[in-house]
Amino acid sequence: MRLDMIHLQTIAVLLLPGVWSQSSRSSSSLGVVVEAKNITLPVGSEAVLPCHSPRMVWTQDRLRDRKRVVHWDVFRSSPEYSVERILDMSPGARQRVYNSFNKGRISIPDSAFIDGNFSLIINNVVTTDKGVYTCNLHHHYCKIDQSVQIQLNVTKSARKEKRYWDGEKTVFIVLLGSSVALPCVNRRPLWREGVQEEQQQVAHWDFQPPGVRPDRADRLVDLYASGERRDYGPLFAQSKMSMAEHAFTLGDFSLTIADVKPVDRGLYSCHLHHHYCGLHERRIFRLTVGPPLPPASTTAPRIFPIDEPETRTINLDAPHVVNVILPEHQAYLVQHLGYLLAAVLLLVFIVVAVIVLTRRRKKKDYDLRRSARGNLMSGGEMSLDYTELKACNQEPMNSDYKNNLLKERDMTKGCNKDFDGRLWK
Ligand SMILES: *[C@@H]1O[C@H](CO)[C@@H](O)[C@H](O)[C@H]1NC(C)=O
Ligand SMILES: *[C@@H]1O[C@H](CO)[C@@H](O)[C@H](O)[C@H]1NC(C)=O
Ligand SMILES: *[C@@H]1O[C@H](CO)[C@@H](O)[C@H](O)[C@H]1NC(C)=O
């Protein structure tokens, strides 16, 4: 299950740049499928169809306009390589011109964030203006960055003035002392004022029973960033289905279906639309309902024995998703081999121990005392201890002690006596 989730995240990460690069105009109303999954659940269980997107989180930030910025930079190759910030501007703030020589000479229209015209106006062009200019637009809230490059050359001859496309960027050859506007125009609404964001974010779930065409799918619920929820049919009112309380705060639009029944099987799709940022994502789940779990299996260590093998992740764009079942089986195999090896080792150990003990016992019967004395003389106290204790423990089995406690006490006494006596001999 965990591997599965990691894969899903990887897919999301891989696919999201693609989502961002397309404009709201070109994406279909259905959106890009970022996840498709088959899920099988036993009758009576609870289904949670995951639908998360951090980009849908509605930040209640009243200053969100300031999260956009435009800046113009220039790259020069002579007299030396250098990059210089010319100016920058955010909505609602004055533009900042960095070099005092450029103040009053270089600017962008004050209406830039209203009409989307971010062109750089340079009056009284000087030779040091030569370089590659970049117009950079950053939208921190939507995480969109766009830039445009323009080469500016300065000429002293009016004849040589021209502008053309060199295959990579626009080239402007401008007469010394004249004025020029380096174009940077982006009329997409997200760079401009006056967009009602609350109405522009919506999450909705559709349900398509088996045999029903996609365009005939039932709408289950609409959820707006404003907090408004429109649900269709009695399912939400009856608590059969539910979504997180603060979905837009958490970016969690997962659908929970209680007490799954065979009639619940079909295709569920989660659609996330952020019209303002141009985000359109779709996640599809094919829900299959299997037989109920036998009650005894609740004691099993694995909680979803039925669900797991039949849950597979597919990705329509990147077919490199690895089936999660294989690594698990390998792990079990290794585990079983380990158990087997340990059992064999234990058996070998027991056999060796029995042989050694039997031999020692025979030896003890013949010359226990001599062996003990000999060991003591050579300074082997450890060996002596061992032999003596063994001799003590091997008391005849037919002794008539009332209980083990008495027997043990007596044995220890006897041993110590014996042992002490021998030491003092
Ligand atoms: C953008 O503004 C510049 C400077 O005011 C002007 O020259 C240019 O025509 C404008 N471009 C468009 C497409 O409106
Ligand atoms: C413009 O300036 C660059 C850098 O000095 C130079 O490589 C390029 O040839 C010039 N282009 C024209 C048309 O003069
Ligand atoms: C999901 O189920 C459908 C219909 O049973 C099947 O066509 C599709 O191949 C399955 N997808 C995966 C990844 O198992």
Side-chain angles (χ1 to χ4, degrees):
M1 281 310 245
R2 194 173 302 154
L3 267 175
D4 227 345
M5 287 312 293
I6 291 168
H7 281 306
L8 293 184
Q9 278 162 9
T10 314
I11 292 161
V13 167
L14 286 175
L15 286 180
L16 280 171
V19 174
W20 288 108
S21 64
Q22 60 182 302
S23 72
S24 52
R25 190 165 32 91
S26 67
S27 63
S28 78
S29 63
L30 283 176
V32 179
V33 177
V34 295
E35 186 183 336
K37 201 174 180 183
N38 284 347
I39 294 180
T40 303
L41 289 176
V43 166
S45 61
E46 181 187 83
V48 178
L49 309 179
C51 189
H52 301 267
S53 176
R55 286 179 168 83
M56 287 287 283
V57 170
W58 166 241
T59 49
Q60 299 282 350
D61 183 1
R62 294 275 150 224
L63 301 175
R64 60 187 177 276
D65 272 351
R66 295 195 187 275
K67 291 186 173 180
R68 284 174 291 165
V69 65
V70 59
H71 59 89
W72 276 93
D73 301 321
V74 62
F75 167 78
R76 293 193 181 90
S77 53
S78 67
E80 55 189 15
Y81 285 97
S82 65
V83 183
E84 184 189 329
R85 172 70 46 96
I86 301 289
L87 61 77
D88 57 32
M89 185 166 114
S90 289
R94 291 179 65 85
Q95 55 186 285
R96 273 188 301 189
V97 179
Y98 282 80
N99 188 325
S100 59
F101 173 67
N102 292 335
K103 288 207 170 102
R105 191 178 74 91
I106 298 184
S107 63
I108 59 173
D110 286 330
S111 59
F113 281 103
I114 295 166
D115 61 10
N117 185 349
F118 302 93
S119 303
L120 187 71
I121 305 156
I122 307 177
N123 292 313
N124 190 18
V125 170
V126 294
T127 44
T128 51
D129 288 334
K130 183 177 150 180
V132 178
Y133 288 75
T134 50
C135 168
N136 301 285
L137 291 169
H138 299 292
H139 202 302
H140 297 291
Y141 174 61
C142 294
K143 297 179 182 67
I144 297 177
D145 302 304
Q146 292 184 332
S147 67
V148 172
Q149 277 197 338
I150 299 162
Q151 160 117 40
L152 176 68
N153 284 14
V154 180
T155 177
K156 288 173 182 155
S157 152
R159 247 181 340 109
K160 290 186 181 165
E161 257 199 313
K162 60 176 172 181
R163 51 187 67 178
Y164 62 94
W165 175 254
D166 75 349
E168 284 181 1
K169 56 191 176 302
T170 309
V171 178
F172 276 65
I173 300 173
V174 175
L175 185 65
L176 188 71
S178 66
S179 295
V180 68
L182 304 181
C184 178
V185 178
N186 195 321
R187 302 222 189 269
R188 275 183 66 186
L190 87 143
W191 300 111
R192 297 157 61 189
E193 306 287 354
V195 180
Q196 284 296 310
E197 221 171 291
E198 281 88 337
Q199 273 83 62
Q200 299 283 325
Q201 265 170 285
V202 61
H204 59 83
W205 278 95
D206 284 351
F207 173 56
Q208 194 186 322
V212 171
R213 295 209 319 262
D215 57 336
R216 294 297 174 107
D218 295 328
R219 175 64 46 91
L220 295 170
V221 64
D222 286 327
L223 199 66
Y224 296 89
S226 59
E228 186 190 349
R229 195 184 79 184
R230 286 185 212 150
D231 42 65
Y232 305 88
L235 295 167
F236 278 83
Q238 293 167 355
S239 300
K240 166 76 177 173
M241 289 184 183
S242 56
M243 284 172 81
E245 191 71 23
H246 302 289
F248 275 99
T249 314
L250 307 168
D252 179 1
F253 305 93
S254 306
L255 181 72
T256 305
I257 308 170
D259 189 18
V260 167
K261 293 268 188 325
V263 292
D264 294 328
R265 74 193 176 94
L267 279 184
Y268 291 80
S269 49
C270 173
H271 302 244
L272 299 180
H273 296 285
H274 198 318
H275 295 282
Y276 173 75
C277 292
L279 169 79
H280 300 275
E281 290 180 3
R282 194 153 53 112
R283 290 166 178 77
I284 303 170
F285 303 92
R286 182 188 302 276
L287 181 66
T288 315
V289 180
L293 282 180
S297 73
T298 48
T299 53
R302 308 212 10 221
I303 301 164
F304 298 112
I306 291 182
D307 170 41
E308 206 157 352
E310 298 188 17
T311 303
R312 281 178 181 72
T313 310
I314 60 155
N315 171 16
L316 304 184
D317 293 2
H320 64 275
V321 173
V322 181
N323 194 334
V324 299
I325 296 165
L326 189 62
E328 281 200 14
H329 278 204
Q330 279 174 346
Y332 281 138
L333 200 67
V334 169
Q335 217 176 0
H336 282 303
L337 269 180
Y339 286 146
L340 199 68
L341 204 65
V344 168
L345 281 178
L346 192 67
L347 201 69
V348 168
F349 177 76
I350 288 170
V351 168
V352 167
V354 165
I355 291 170
V356 167
L357 282 180
T358 319
R359 287 197 170 187
R360 275 201 183 268
R361 186 167 179 177
K362 274 184 192 158
K363 218 172 174 182
K364 178 210 80 176
D365 285 348
Y366 288 111
D367 59 1
L368 170 66
R369 280 180 176 271
R370 226 169 73 196
S371 139
R373 206 170 288 146
N375 279 335
L376 186 64
M377 302 248 255
S378 61
E381 278 183 343
M382 287 306 287
S383 299
L384 175 71
D385 274 29
Y386 181 74
T387 317
E388 290 305 320
L389 284 174
K390 276 276 173 285
C392 287
N393 284 340
Q394 285 160 359
E395 284 288 311
M397 289 304 284
N398 56 0
S399 58
D400 50 1
Y401 287 105
K402 284 207 177 72
N403 58 42
N404 284 335
L405 219 65
L406 273 175
K407 173 178 162 185
E408 229 167 68
R409 205 173 59 200
D410 244 281
M411 269 169 61
T412 325
K413 215 188 280 166
C415 276
N416 285 346
K417 211 178 358 183
D418 204 13
F419 182 72
D420 284 349
R422 224 170 290 144
L423 267 183
W424 289 108
K425 242 175 217 168

